[in-house]
Structure formats: C-alpha cells, structure tokens
Amino acid sequence: LTYIKFEQRCGKFDNARNLYERMLEQIPEESSYIKYAKWEERQGNPVSCRAIFERSLTELSLENIDEDLILEFARFEIRCHEIERARVIFKYGLDKLTSSKEALRNEYTLFEKQYGSTE
C-alpha cells in the first residue's frame, strides 16, 4: 500500500492500478477488493469500481465473503443512483451469507425506508 501511494504521488496511476491487481493476486481477501474498488471510485472510474466488486463476488468463495463487502458494494451503487442494483445486492447478501447479517439487515431496512415504495 505504501508503494501504491508512492506511485500515486508520482502521478503514475497505471502503475498503481497494476500494483492493486498484483495485490489481489497475492492477497485475495475482501479487504483488498474493497481498497481497490474505493481507489477506483476516487479516481472517478465507477465502471472499473463496479467491475472490481463484481469480480470479488465471483473470485471469493462464499465463506470468505463478509457483510462488509456486500455493504460497500450496495453503498457504491446507491452513490451511483443505481437503486435497483443496490436492492439486488442487498437481497443477494441476505440470501447467500451464512455469517452474522445484523448490520446488513439494518442497512437494508434503512435503504427500503428511504428508497422503497409503500408496499
């Protein structure tokens, strides 16, 4: 991460992107995907950010996916004003995750209160 920050300070964003890709190969954990996706979003690249989140759901096994990844993905879609996508992501997380889903349920409830219909 320090080397990635160094490359950013030098203005070499392609090198930083390559280092993030290498990090995903070496450390295939949800936190790595979240850091890379957030970085792409800060770079103004929502298409790449979405692709990284989708890639994390396919590359990680369900045992390695925690509610944090689902929440970050859903929040990203909300920020992009993709409400239906966010709803599908929340439902996917509630259906597929086996670990504690309390924060996910709470966030989904708030989401539906804000964006859902009266039904």
Side-chain angles (χ1 to χ4, degrees):
L1 289 175
T2 303
Y3 189 36
I4 291 170
K5 289 178 185 178
F6 170 74
E7 291 291 352
Q8 285 178 272
R9 283 193 308 270
C10 293
K12 298 182 179 183
F13 297 106
D14 289 333
N15 289 351
R17 189 170 284 114
N18 291 335
L19 288 170
Y20 270 115
E21 288 291 333
R22 190 169 161 199
M23 182 175 74
L24 293 182
E25 291 173 9
Q26 300 298 319
I27 310 169
E29 297 174 352
E30 71 174 25
S31 61
S32 302
Y33 286 96
I34 291 171
K35 287 175 187 173
Y36 185 21
K38 284 185 174 184
W39 181 80
E40 283 290 355
E41 186 180 8
R42 283 192 306 271
Q43 300 307 311
N45 219 346
V47 174
S48 295
C49 181
R50 182 175 291 122
I52 293 164
F53 276 124
E54 291 171 352
R55 185 173 145 194
S56 70
L57 294 178
T58 58
E59 291 179 1
L60 295 174
S61 64
L62 281 176
E63 296 84 34
N64 294 336
I65 295 177
D66 197 13
E67 65 183 0
D68 295 336
L69 180 66
I70 301 295
L71 286 173
E72 289 296 332
F73 192 9
R75 288 174 187 152
F76 163 74
E77 293 296 351
I78 292 169
R79 286 191 298 273
C80 291
H81 305 291
E82 295 284 345
I83 304 307
E84 286 304 314
R85 282 177 157 267
R87 184 172 284 119
V88 169
I89 292 165
F90 275 122
K91 289 181 181 180
Y92 174 82
L94 290 170
D95 291 342
K96 299 290 183 181
L97 293 183
T98 57
S99 63
S100 173
K101 300 182 268 189
E102 191 63 34
L104 189 61
R105 277 192 203 100
N106 292 339
E107 190 91 15
Y108 180 62
T109 303
L110 293 173
F111 168 80
E112 285 298 339
K113 285 180 180 179
Q114 185 172 3
Y115 297 103
S117 64
T118 56
E119 295 87 36

